């Protein structure tokens, strides 16, 4: 049973528009959430995180929203740029954990 | 430059032939981990280590061994590889209390 789900395997967005990537989790013990970006032939790189004491965290063009009651988080990228084209993984776990559960990833393609 | 290195980057082997994938980090991180990435399954944790001589199983440890004799190195050992271990493997490290996990570039393993 997958505890962290990314139901959209792929997403295409026009350059300059908003990209919204979604992630759902089932384990109510999870209170720390992260997004990673992965380019082909490279390892994932950390993008942004959020703890359950907040419902929003921003870093430049990237914002993560957390809806604890729905067990749902989303990553917004505004404006989207062609260089954002990558696979995005969400991950979740109890805070301070060494065991994060990753989703299956969403491949974002930003069209110029 | 802070980095996690893995060797080899690509490996084709045959069933039953023992192999080791090395992982090394130069950031003095306490925590290290191995993941495998498979289509439709995302990143799944194989083993992790919280410090020298301290290792624990992740979600998919069967068929793998690890050791942590030095802080910087965390090799992944496949004693008798099988075709279902064909995958893309990532090593990662982080400091104990931070959330930023640094990933290596990946090792693509094919077991025939």
């Amino acid at each position: 049973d997958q505890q962290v789900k990314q139901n959209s395997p792929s997403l295409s967005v026009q350059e300059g528009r908003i990209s919204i990537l979604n992630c759902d989790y089932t384990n109510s013990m999870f209170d720390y959430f992260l997004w990673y970006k992965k380019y082909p032939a490279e390892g994932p790189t950390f993008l942004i995180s959020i703890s359950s004491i907040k419902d929003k965290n921003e870093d430049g063009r990237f914002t993560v929203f957390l809806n604890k009651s729905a067990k749902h988080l989303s990553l917004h990228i505004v404006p989207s740029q062609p260089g954002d084209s990558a696979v995005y993984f969400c991950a979740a776990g109890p805070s301070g954990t060494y065991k994060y559960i990753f989703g299956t990833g969403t491949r974002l393609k930003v069209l110029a | 430059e802070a980095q996690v290195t893995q060797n080899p980057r690509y490996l084709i082997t045959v069933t039953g032939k023992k192999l080791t994938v090395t992982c090394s980090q130069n950031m003095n991180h306490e925590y290290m981990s191995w993941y495998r990435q498979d289509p439709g399954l995302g990143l799944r944790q194989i083993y992790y280590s919280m410090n020298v001589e301290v290792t624990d199983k992740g979600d998919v440890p069967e068929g793998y061994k690890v050791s942590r004799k030095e802080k910087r190195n965390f090799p992944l050992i496949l004693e008798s590889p099988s075709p279902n271990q064909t995958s893309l493997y990532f090593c990662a490290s982080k400091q104990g209390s931070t959330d930023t996990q640094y990933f290596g570039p990946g090792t693509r393993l094919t077991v025939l």
Side-chain angles (χ1 to χ4, degrees):
Chain A
D1 179 36
Q2 265 189 306
Q3 298 184 69
V4 178
K5 297 178 187 177
Q6 293 176 257
N7 291 318
S8 299
S10 64
L11 175 68
S12 289
V13 171
Q14 282 296 132
E15 181 179 7
R17 307 293 284 267
I18 184 171
S19 295
I20 300 176
L21 294 89
N22 294 304
C23 180
D24 297 293
Y25 62 98
T26 58
N27 192 329
S28 17
M29 298 298 292
F30 292 168
D31 60 359
Y32 205 84
F33 308 89
L34 309 95
W35 285 93
Y36 285 83
K37 178 167 75 172
K38 184 184 177 304
Y39 292 119
E42 295 182 14
T45 54
F46 171 75
L47 197 54
I48 193 169
S49 63
I50 188 167
S51 104
S52 60
I53 61 172
K54 300 171 86 171
D55 52 21
K56 176 182 171 182
N57 189 26
E58 269 182 278
D59 184 1
R61 297 185 297 111
F62 302 91
T63 303
V64 57
F65 294 91
L66 175 63
N67 182 332
K68 291 184 286 291
S69 60
K71 294 191 177 70
H72 176 83
L73 62 154
S74 60
L75 175 68
H76 292 209
I77 307 173
V78 185
S80 302
Q81 300 172 352
D84 296 329
S85 298
V87 176
Y88 290 78
F89 291 98
C90 69
S95 54
T97 189
Y98 294 99
K99 293 191 69 171
Y100 291 121
I101 306 294
F102 281 77
T104 52
T106 296
R107 183 178 301 277
L108 173 66
K109 191 170 184 179
V110 180
L111 307 167
Chain B
E1 181 192 351
Q3 60 182 353
V4 178
T5 55
Q6 296 178 225
N7 282 293
R9 294 289 313 276
Y10 302 90
L11 179 60
I12 301 174
T13 189
V14 295
T15 299
K17 187 176 180 183
K18 180 179 178 179
L19 65 94
T20 299
V21 184
T22 64
C23 172
S24 183
Q25 49 94 4
N26 63 1
M27 296 167 278
N28 203 36
H29 285 169
E30 293 174 351
Y31 167 81
M32 297 185 75
S33 183
W34 275 103
Y35 294 87
R36 61 179 287 176
Q37 183 189 358
D38 301 290
L41 296 174
L43 284 157
R44 294 179 294 167
Q45 191 177 49
I46 302 170
Y47 268 96
Y48 65 95
S49 167
M50 290 190 284
N51 215 323
V52 175
E53 302 292 2
V54 181
T55 63
D56 206 351
K57 296 177 181 178
D59 297 313
V60 288
E62 296 79 20
Y64 305 95
K65 281 175 59 177
V66 292
S67 69
R68 187 94 182 272
K69 293 183 169 41
E70 309 164 276
K71 202 169 190 179
R72 63 182 293 127
N73 295 323
F74 190 44
L76 179 70
I77 303 154
L78 285 72
E79 295 267 2
S80 183
S82 63
N84 65 12
Q85 293 178 298
T86 292
S87 187
L88 179 57
Y89 291 87
F90 291 101
C91 179
S93 74
K94 70 172 186 171
Q95 260 304 82
S97 59
T98 66
D99 56 352
T100 303
Q101 190 163 215
Y102 295 86
F103 282 82
T107 295
R108 186 165 292 282
L109 172 66
T110 301
V111 183
L112 302 174

